[in-house]
């Protein structure tokens, strides 16, 4: 029972981390791919051409999805604090 409980907590933590980081990572991947394609077509090989658009896109994505990210993290944190007593009892 203890192993299953710890595995469930770990699964919830990883799920929350992926949900929070997912949008920014997907946007970064997409913009990086598009900029790389643009660089191949135009033969421009400057590093800042790939870096600046990704930073701007990720910042915009985080700014837009920040309320949702906070809601997901708050829900996870509240669940951890409300289930704390039952988790400690089951681990002993």
């Amino acid at each position: 029972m203890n192993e299953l409980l710890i595995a469930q907590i770990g699964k919830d933590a990883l799920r929350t981390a992926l949900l929070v980081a997912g949008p920014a990572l997907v946007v970064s991947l997409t913009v990086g791919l598009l900029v790389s394609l643009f660089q191949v077509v135009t033969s421009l090989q400057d590093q800042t051409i790939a870096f600046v658009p990704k930073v701007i896109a990720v910042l915009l994505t985080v700014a837009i999805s920040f309320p949702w990210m906070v809601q997901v993290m708050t829900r996870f944190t509240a669940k951890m604090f409300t289930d704390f007593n039952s988790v400690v009892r089951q681990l002993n």
Side-chain angles (χ1 to χ4, degrees):
M1 181 66 181
N2 294 344
E3 295 85 12
L4 294 176
L5 181 64
I6 292 172
Q8 183 64 36
I9 292 171
K11 178 183 166 189
D12 289 344
L14 285 174
R15 181 178 175 273
T16 301
L18 286 174
L19 280 174
V20 170
L25 292 174
V26 169
V27 167
S28 177
L29 178 71
T30 305
V31 170
L33 183 65
L34 291 175
V35 169
S36 295
L37 189 64
F38 175 75
Q39 283 182 320
V40 167
V41 170
T42 60
S43 298
L44 294 173
Q45 297 302 323
D46 190 17
Q47 293 295 327
T48 58
I49 293 174
F51 181 72
V52 173
K54 279 197 282 187
V55 169
I56 293 171
V58 168
L59 285 174
L60 286 174
T61 302
V62 169
I64 291 169
S65 62
F66 188 72
W68 174 78
M69 290 176 174
V70 170
Q71 181 183 12
V72 170
M73 289 186 291
T74 304
R75 192 178 321 129
F76 174 74
T77 304
K79 182 177 182 276
M80 288 294 107
F81 278 120
T82 55
D83 293 347
F84 183 75
N85 285 334
S86 62
V87 168
V88 170
R89 276 191 217 111
Q90 289 179 9
L91 290 178
N92 286 333

